[in-house]
Amino acid sequence: MSVSDPLLDSYNCPAFLRCCNAYREYLVKTEARELKLPLYTTNSAGEIIVYHGEVYCRVPGCKHNHVATSATNNLRQHLTRHGLHLPTSATGRLTQARKDAAIQWYNSLFEAEEDGDDENSDEDDDAEDDHAGDNRAEEDDEKNAEEDNEDYDEDDD
């Protein structure tokens, strides 16, 4: 993918997400209503977790489910108007952990989609393993939200 990409440029794409194919798919498929985004998860303080680069609202019934905001910060402001509580934005450079968490989240949107396409798979028989994975994901979300409080950056680096 080239450094300058009209699609990604139109969404003010952070530089670290330009090489993430799942982020591109998130942008295109959400706008086209081909991707159903998961509901927000919360950290231990009851604050919702928003990943860097998100531009679509995940509140059910909101017009911004398929109409992008111009930047993640604008989405965060939009979410407060829904009455949702978000972690206080920290200043400073975006940590590698937060970048990795965002990329992991965008990739997870399509891993779930791929799993749903393979309905006859024998690997889906072990529900306990699926539950353990869900719990790890929730714990990761909480950990990443706590890191968000420590180090937040709106610069596209």
Side-chain angles (χ1 to χ4, degrees):
M1 210 176 306
S2 68
V3 172
S4 180
D5 181 310
L7 171 70
L8 298 177
D9 291 345
S10 69
Y11 287 97
N12 297 313
C13 177
F16 78 95
L17 288 173
R18 288 185 177 269
C19 61
C20 179
N21 289 331
Y23 184 71
R24 173 185 279 278
E25 292 298 309
Y26 157 79
L27 295 173
V28 172
K29 289 188 174 187
T30 304
E31 183 173 2
R33 299 174 189 241
E34 296 172 3
L35 177 64
K36 184 175 187 232
L37 296 174
L39 296 176
Y40 290 104
T41 56
T42 58
N43 62 20
S44 58
E47 302 162 325
I48 66 165
I49 298 166
V50 178
Y51 293 94
H52 201 74
E54 278 193 77
V55 292
Y56 293 104
C57 180
R58 295 190 263 153
V59 172
C62 179
K63 76 172 187 169
H64 286 284
N65 289 151
H66 305 289
V67 177
T69 58
S70 60
T72 304
N73 238 6
N74 292 341
L75 175 62
R76 292 170 62 84
Q77 291 171 0
H78 169 82
L79 293 170
T80 61
R81 289 191 292 276
H82 277 299
L84 299 174
H85 300 283
L86 286 87
T88 304
S89 298
T91 58
R93 206 164 173 79
L94 187 64
T95 65
Q96 188 62 46
R98 287 197 52 231
K99 290 177 184 180
D100 293 345
I103 291 171
Q104 181 182 1
W105 184 76
Y106 293 113
N107 286 330
S108 75
L109 296 174
F110 300 100
E111 290 167 1
E113 188 176 79
E114 290 170 7
D115 289 346
D117 290 344
D118 191 11
E119 294 176 16
N120 296 325
S121 173
D122 291 337
E123 295 175 12
D124 291 338
D125 291 341
D126 192 357
E128 282 185 39
D129 286 348
D130 290 344
H131 252 318
D134 290 344
N135 290 338
R136 281 191 302 273
E138 288 174 14
E139 290 169 4
D140 288 346
D141 285 347
E142 285 186 20
K143 179 181 144 220
N144 292 328
E146 290 169 7
E147 290 172 357
D148 284 352
N149 280 336
E150 297 169 8
D151 202 31
Y152 187 81
D153 182 18
E154 273 304 310
D155 292 340
D156 294 339
D157 51 18

